[in-house]
Every structure is written in structure tokens, then in C-alpha cells.
Amino acid sequence: MTLGGVARAGMAVAVVVAAMAGCGGSDGDAAPATSVKGIEASQVGPVVDVRTGGHRFATRCAGEKDGPAVMLVSGQSDMEDEWSAVQARIGTFARVCAYDRLGVGRSGRPPAQQTFEDMARDLREVMRQLDLEPPVVVVAHSLGGMVAVTLAQQDRKAVGALLLLDAVGPGYPQAVLDRLPAGSGRRGAEERADWAAWMSPAGNPERLDGRRVFMAGASLAPLGAMPLVALTHSIPEHPDSTSARQQADLESAWEEGQNDLMTLSSVGRLERVDLAGHAIARDQPAAVVDQVREMVGG
């Protein structure tokens, strides 16, 4: 299972059926909602740099400034690639912003190494610079899920609700390394190499110290009754070089990670999104938009 495309199938959880494709915004100042082929969408503003902690972060926002606050936290891609199908639509009922983490997209260079704690502090400061009034609904994809969860643990008042989109469970990367072989040409080695790169700061663009942070993530503290919904996918996206048996083994580990994230909240909920791969916001944008609308009470 690759970092950019993970597999989930056969999970005994509720199915979210979502069929409509979203529409992205364009550059320009925020504007009232418009209708494109019957789908309401707001205008997504231009990329704006904010500075905090001596670093530069690229951001984009949509929606009225006095609306409910929503923050989008990407996985491994830049904000425009991750959120183009949903940000403009969320902007019709909320103030919704996205950003690139250090080392990704248009943001500045990262330090020599980073942890999820570092990234969460950056996220909190970016939210403050964007005038997003807490509590904020934080929507996070893939690796960004651990950043969002860490922020919620650092500052419960900053986060009103968490929507995790195929977020990586804290124990999953080590499970990949344990269950797949190393060495060129072996079945599963390609997928293992993708994950192994994130275990060392030198191996990934964000300089994440993966071995350290995922080990620490295995002991995440409960979040009480914070609203938390974890959406996971239904379409496998493993490399062809990973065998069917290896895929099934990894999917079992992935399921364990999803349950670990969901149970961080006493009111957590886990749902499988029908007809969606790892990029849930692109594959089934209506499922994401509808869930955010429910969370903000829109």
C-alpha cells in the first residue's frame, strides 16, 4: 500500500454513498456563491503568504469571513491538488482555508527535521494568522490526519471537530515495514520503500522524522467527546508488485489504524466511502462537503 494511495476493502462499517463530482474555485477575491451546472460554489481567493515562526506558508481561503471556520490540512500533495473539488463548495456555508506545509507546494523550506508536534504548532499559528475563530472544524487527509489530531491534543479549544479522510493510523507505517520485504525486485518491496522514505527526515520533502513521530503517536491521548468522523476508502490502490496476500495483510493493519483514530473520541464514528480511493475529496467530494456541513451545523 503506497503512501499516496492506500487500500481499504471489506470493512464492516457504514457506507457513505456519494456520487457528484465537485467544482474547484479560481483565483481572485472572495465573491458570493455562484451556480455551476447546478452545483453551488463560492469563489476561492488567491494564494496569500502568511509568516509565523520565521517561516512562510502559502494559504487560500473561500467563503464569508464571518462564517463558521473550517481548515483543510493536506496529505502529501499541495493544497490546490488536494482540495480543488471541495473548497469552493464548502465556502458557500463556511469560511474555509487551506495551506501548504513546509516543504510542500508554495510554502517555504522545512527545518532539518520536523515532528507532528512542530507541524501542529505551525497549523495553529496559520489558523490564527488567517483569523479563523476557534473552535475550528479541521478536515485532514492522509498524513495530515496525524497533524490535526496532534493539534487537537495540544489545544482542545482550538479544534471544534475533526474530519479525517483516509488518515494514516499511527501504527500503520511500522506495520508496512514489518510485513513487506526489503530488496529490489521482491514482491512488496516497492511499497515498502515508499513508506521507508518517510521514516527518515532525509527521505521526504517535509523532513518528517517518521520513525520517532509514529512511535510517539501510538500513545495518543483520548480527546473526550470531541466530534470526530473518520472516512476511509473502498477502492484498493496498491502497486501491482504487492501480492494479493500482502495487500490483504496490510489492509488488516490499515483497519486497525482507522479504529485507533476513531476511538480517540467517545463519540467517534468510522465510515467507508463507496467508490472512493485514497483521495476521497477528489473521488467523492459530496461525501466530504455534506459531512463538513453537518459538523458546522449548516
Side-chain angles (χ1 to χ4, degrees):
M1 178 179 313
T2 62
L3 187 59
V6 291
R8 257 301 276 113
M11 193 173 187
V13 292
V15 175
V16 179
V17 179
M20 297 180 69
C23 58
S26 58
D27 288 349
D29 296 331
T34 57
S35 181
V36 180
K37 294 184 179 180
I39 302 174
E40 266 202 341
S42 66
Q43 190 83 0
V44 180
V47 175
V48 175
D49 287 343
V50 301
R51 294 183 179 273
T52 180
H55 297 288
R56 175 179 56 81
F57 295 86
T59 70
R60 294 186 80 184
C61 295
E64 300 294 331
K65 290 187 177 181
D66 59 352
V70 177
M71 189 73 194
L72 305 176
V73 183
S74 301
Q76 294 81 49
S77 301
D78 64 77
M79 59 182 169
E80 293 171 80
D81 180 55
E82 290 261 8
W83 306 112
S84 61
V86 299
Q87 187 171 11
R89 293 169 66 179
I90 295 171
T92 63
F93 57 84
R95 178 65 170 175
V96 54
C97 297
Y99 80 120
D100 288 334
R101 291 194 298 275
L102 297 177
V104 178
R106 305 190 195 185
S107 288
R109 296 175 62 183
Q113 64 180 39
Q114 294 197 91
T115 65
F116 290 133
E117 287 75 13
D118 300 326
M119 294 176 177
R121 283 190 290 268
D122 288 339
L123 172 57
R124 179 171 50 187
E125 287 304 306
V126 168
M127 287 163 47
R128 186 180 65 82
Q129 293 276 3
L130 294 173
D131 296 322
L132 293 180
E133 291 292 332
V136 179
V137 173
V138 180
V139 182
H141 175 232
S142 191
L143 193 71
M146 287 295 293
V147 180
V149 168
T150 303
L151 172 61
Q153 296 198 319
Q154 287 179 350
D155 189 349
R156 302 287 180 88
K157 294 181 180 179
V159 180
L162 286 169
L163 176 57
L164 305 179
L165 307 179
D166 229 32
V168 178
Y172 185 74
Q174 189 59 50
V176 175
L177 301 185
D178 291 342
R179 300 181 191 201
L180 296 181
S184 177
R186 302 181 68 184
R187 298 301 299 269
E190 175 188 352
E191 187 160 1
R192 187 185 193 280
D194 287 340
W195 284 96
W198 285 87
M199 295 298 101
S200 168
N204 64 83
E206 298 186 55
R207 300 295 184 260
L208 181 70
D209 188 349
R211 192 168 300 278
R212 172 185 169 193
V213 298
F214 281 109
M215 184 178 296
S219 58
L220 291 169
L223 296 171
M226 177 177 291
L228 185 156
V229 176
L231 300 183
T232 194
H233 58 271
S234 56
I235 300 177
E237 294 182 355
H238 293 284
D240 292 339
S241 58
T242 303
S243 72
R245 176 171 291 187
Q246 289 170 331
Q247 291 183 32
D249 196 21
L250 292 179
E251 289 185 16
S252 176
W254 181 262
E255 181 174 340
E256 291 177 10
Q258 296 302 290
N259 280 290
D260 288 343
L261 291 171
M262 182 266 294
T263 55
L264 287 172
S265 168
S266 61
V267 293
R269 190 170 86 245
L270 177 61
E271 298 180 350
R272 177 166 58 90
V273 182
D274 196 25
L275 302 178
H278 184 52
I280 292 175
R282 290 198 298 266
D283 293 347
Q284 296 292 3
V288 176
V289 174
D290 289 348
Q291 186 59 63
V292 175
R293 188 190 302 273
E294 179 180 330
M295 285 180 155
V296 302

